[in-house]
Amino acid sequence: MAESAGVYCPMPSEQDNVEQAKGNPALDLSTFIPPAPLMSPSIIIEFCDRCRWLHRATWVSTELFLTFPPPVLKAISIIPLNSEETGGRFRVWLNLEGSPPQLMWDRKIEGGFPELKGLKQRIRDYVQPGKSLGHSDKKSE
């Protein structure tokens, strides 16, 4: 049982969940269809979890979805990495139909995190060439 701000929310037992699912076709696992792997076009953001870059990864994904809402981008995957080999990694990949994922940004190669303006322009050039990004397309003086 969970209680938050005076609201009572009973926590069902695992057996209760099984019994409830038996009578509910919406909870019949045999009818579940998993998402297609790497829907196209889609983005994959890999980040070093040991560096605590989850917030940055979710911020980048939010900004990309706001600029390229579905169906332009069909999915954004955020993948935390936690090994010695992936220490310090922050990569953004673009997956397009019929081709392997293309690297749009690598923190180590580029020398830092992406400025969203530049990242959006790179992605735009593949998924919506010619689309105006408004103030993000204006040249800096």
Side-chain angles (χ1 to χ4, degrees):
M1 151 171 79
E3 210 166 313
S4 175
V7 177
Y8 171 74
C9 297
M11 301 295 288
S13 68
E14 189 172 326
Q15 183 61 35
D16 290 340
N17 286 339
V18 170
E19 292 300 319
Q20 186 179 24
K22 285 181 182 176
N24 187 342
L27 298 176
D28 180 0
L29 293 180
S30 67
T31 64
F32 288 13
I33 300 171
L38 293 178
M39 293 185 282
S40 177
S42 64
I43 297 288
I44 301 166
I45 300 172
E46 297 178 305
F47 71 95
C48 176
D49 190 43
R50 297 179 323 155
C51 297
R52 305 216 183 274
W53 290 338
L54 173 63
H55 182 73
R56 186 179 298 266
T58 58
W59 173 67
V60 169
S61 72
T62 299
E63 287 293 323
L64 292 176
F65 258 145
L66 289 172
T67 303
F68 307 106
V72 178
L73 286 179
K74 293 185 179 166
I76 297 179
S77 301
I78 300 174
I79 302 173
L81 303 169
N82 199 338
S83 68
E84 288 293 322
E85 308 84 63
T86 61
R89 181 176 295 175
F90 193 93
R91 290 182 182 162
V92 179
W93 298 86
L94 174 64
N95 179 54
L96 296 169
E97 186 102 22
S99 66
Q102 296 180 323
L103 185 61
M104 295 283 107
W105 194 272
D106 181 286
R107 187 189 71 83
K108 292 180 180 180
I109 292 171
E110 304 279 349
F113 290 103
E115 289 290 329
L116 281 179
K117 173 183 175 178
L119 181 60
K120 288 177 180 182
Q121 288 171 343
R122 290 181 188 186
I123 292 169
R124 180 267 321 270
D125 291 346
Y126 285 93
V127 299
Q128 282 188 309
K131 171 188 165 97
S132 171
L133 295 176
H135 68 280
S136 290
D137 274 337
K138 302 256 188 312
K139 299 280 187 221
S140 301
E141 295 184 25

